[in-house]
Amino acid sequence: MSERTLVLVKPDGVSRGLVGEVISRIERKGLTLAALELRSVERAVAEQHYAEHDGKPFFESLLEFITSGKVAAIVAEGENAIAAFRQLAGGTHPVEKATPGTIRGDFGLEVQYNLVHGSDSPESAEREIKIWFPAL
Ligand code: IDP
């Protein structure tokens, strides 16, 4: 079933010049781009996006990080897009969980600076796409 997922290249990925790499992997997988924008992140948007983590010990640090520079916000579309991008991204911790060959496994070292975000369910994807691309 064709679906949409919200992908973010986080500020570490943007500052390291990995936007093209991430887009290339999305396209090579067979997903298509439905929306793409390089933008600064207001705190309110970051709080909404990461609302499920409110109260966790890393919440404040995560908000500071995600608002520290530009992000590339992307909507990728295709068969099983949500699971497909999670597979491309790899596990949350770039060393302990992500395997080589994935974006996090190939380029990351630390759990906070794990380069990309991808929606984890159809409900999250719908909620997140509304936050980042209200007009879609
Ligand atoms: P996900 O991005 O793989 O779905 P989540 O558990 O939803 O992982 O966590 C959201 C983001 O919060 C992670 O991508 C990572 O940047 C950050 N994060 C998760 N766990 C930790 C932690 O223990 N310390 C610092 N940052 C964390």
Side-chain angles (χ1 to χ4, degrees):
M1 198 185 64
S2 184
E3 59 187 13
R4 287 175 164 188
T5 188
L6 189 277
V7 173
L8 298 177
V9 184
K10 300 180 185 181
D12 55 336
V14 173
S15 66
R16 289 177 56 195
L18 293 171
V19 175
E21 175 74 33
V22 172
I23 290 174
S24 174
R25 289 181 184 221
I26 290 169
E27 292 181 325
R28 279 153 55 200
K29 182 70 173 170
L31 299 173
T32 55
L33 304 182
L36 170 61
E37 188 186 10
L38 188 68
R39 56 177 279 181
S40 314
V41 186
E42 288 151 26
R43 185 170 165 108
V45 170
E47 278 175 357
Q48 254 186 295
H49 177 80
Y50 280 125
E52 70 173 289
H53 297 298
D54 194 354
K56 293 189 185 162
F58 60 84
F59 184 61
E60 193 53 41
S61 160
L62 181 59
L63 292 189
E64 269 173 40
F65 162 54
I66 216 76
T67 57
S68 68
K70 289 196 170 172
V71 306
I74 298 163
V75 177
E77 191 168 43
E79 191 81 11
N80 275 319
I82 295 165
F85 183 77
R86 298 280 292 186
Q87 179 190 46
L88 291 179
T92 303
H93 195 299
V95 176
E96 290 171 13
K97 295 286 183 209
T99 50
T102 63
I103 295 164
R104 290 164 169 173
D106 284 350
F107 301 112
L109 285 174
E110 294 176 62
V111 66
Q112 181 167 273
Y113 306 107
N114 63 359
L115 302 151
V116 288
H117 166 84
S119 308
D120 64 4
S121 68
E123 296 72 33
S124 304
E126 195 184 343
R127 189 184 73 82
E128 293 169 3
I129 289 169
K130 275 203 191 104
I131 295 171
W132 294 90
F133 295 100
L136 262 194

